[in-house]
Amino acid sequence: MSDREQRHRQAMQKLKSHVDERVAAASEQRGQVLVFTGNGKGKTTAAWGTVTRALGYGYRVGVIQFIKGLWECGERERLQADDNLEVAIMATGFTWETQNRESDTAACREVWQQAERMLADPQIYLVVLDEITYMLKFGYLDIETVQQAIANRPVEQSVIVTGRNAHRTLIEMADTVTEMNDTKHAFNAGLEARRGIDF
Ligand code: ATP
Ligand code: MG
């Protein structure tokens, strides 16, 4: 064996024992809270990716879309035939389009009731609260209500929260927080949002 090969083998053995140790230490089993936030692209895509993953094992999944109800969404189109998926949509579209705080608040509260039901249902393995951060930011929902519903969920249930500027409380209570970083985005170079890529 060459010197280089031997050094590589030693390094890999060391890495393996380190990884094995960490895997052995991570033995707690329970549902998790994941937050996908930041200004970069990929938050909702990552949430749907995880939905697909859970559905792949036959788990039940609930998705609440808090802001883009009127938007097309390729993942929803593809997955909605799965009986294990339930999608609830806040049907008002963007707040700067409706420009009506009262009707937006009512629409938000209505769909939040669906979220509360899902967050209390032990049959549901994963709940996605897509773009809920904006509901908190605009004051359509209060953070204490959301925090309590997430904290009191069934022990095996996981929750994904997406949206920019996630509330500090959500970051604190989360097990996993990923901040998508906006290194570059096609939109800023004048490229239109693309079907099958952006929605
Ligand atoms: P995606 O749905 O593609 O995963 P996202 O959920 O991270 O994106 P949102 O803030 O929800 O991002 O924005 C939704 C839409 O805006 C998508 O069409 C997405 O491609 C686009 N978008 C995301 N990030 C940016 C950005 N930094 N600049 C411009 N457009 C963006
Ligand atoms: Mg999104």
Side-chain angles (χ1 to χ4, degrees), residues 44 68 130-131:
T44 298
K68 286 177 194 160
D130 190 32
E131 321 294 354

Side-chain angles (χ1 to χ4, degrees), residues 5-182:
E5 227 168 283
Q6 195 149 6
R7 265 185 284 128
H8 178 76
R9 191 169 283 197
Q10 276 169 359
M12 287 302 116
Q13 267 164 4
K14 205 167 156 190
L15 181 62
K16 179 175 157 39
S17 66
H18 180 64
V19 171
D20 287 351
E21 247 171 58
R22 295 189 52 160
V23 169
S27 59
E28 191 186 350
Q29 294 212 30
R30 60 169 172 81
Q32 305 175 359
V33 177
L34 302 92
V35 174
F36 301 152
T37 191
N39 292 337
K41 173 179 167 63
K43 302 176 286 293
T44 298
T45 323
W48 278 109
T50 314
V51 167
T52 311
R53 194 171 266 186
L55 289 172
Y57 292 102
Y59 292 122
R60 287 189 55 200
V61 178
V63 177
I64 316 278
Q65 295 185 306
F66 276 94
I67 201 164
K68 286 177 194 160
L70 302 178
W71 272 46
E72 291 182 88
C73 171
E75 300 97 318
R76 198 179 62 216
E77 293 301 316
R78 181 65 177 84
L79 298 172
Q80 68 187 1
D82 192 321
D83 288 338
N84 283 325
L85 174 68
E86 186 187 345
V87 182
I89 302 170
M90 184 174 137
T92 51
F94 286 113
T95 181
W96 48 89
E97 276 172 12
T98 60
Q99 292 165 3
N100 186 331
R101 204 184 139 75
E102 213 171 298
S103 67
D104 277 358
T105 306
C108 174
R109 297 270 160 90
E110 205 177 302
V111 84
W112 171 250
Q113 288 189 351
Q114 309 264 358
E116 271 189 325
R117 174 182 49 78
M118 291 179 188
L119 289 166
D121 183 349
Q123 301 299 318
I124 302 187
Y125 189 78
L126 170 66
V127 176
V128 175
L129 305 172
D130 190 32
E131 321 294 354
I132 197 174
T133 59
Y134 305 101
M135 304 299 102
L136 298 165
K137 205 172 168 63
F138 300 150
Y140 297 169
L141 273 180
D142 65 89
I143 183 66
E144 290 76 21
T145 307
V146 175
Q147 190 221 338
Q148 272 184 27
I150 295 176
N152 295 329
R153 76 193 188 283
V155 71
E156 293 295 331
Q157 187 182 83
S158 292
V159 179
I160 297 178
V161 167
T162 87
R164 296 179 187 204
N165 302 306
H167 194 286
R168 186 168 32 88
T169 301
L170 291 173
I171 306 264
E172 277 164 15
M173 75 188 302
D175 300 291
T176 295
V177 179
T178 301
E179 178 121 13
M180 308 293 176
N181 182 31
D182 182 21

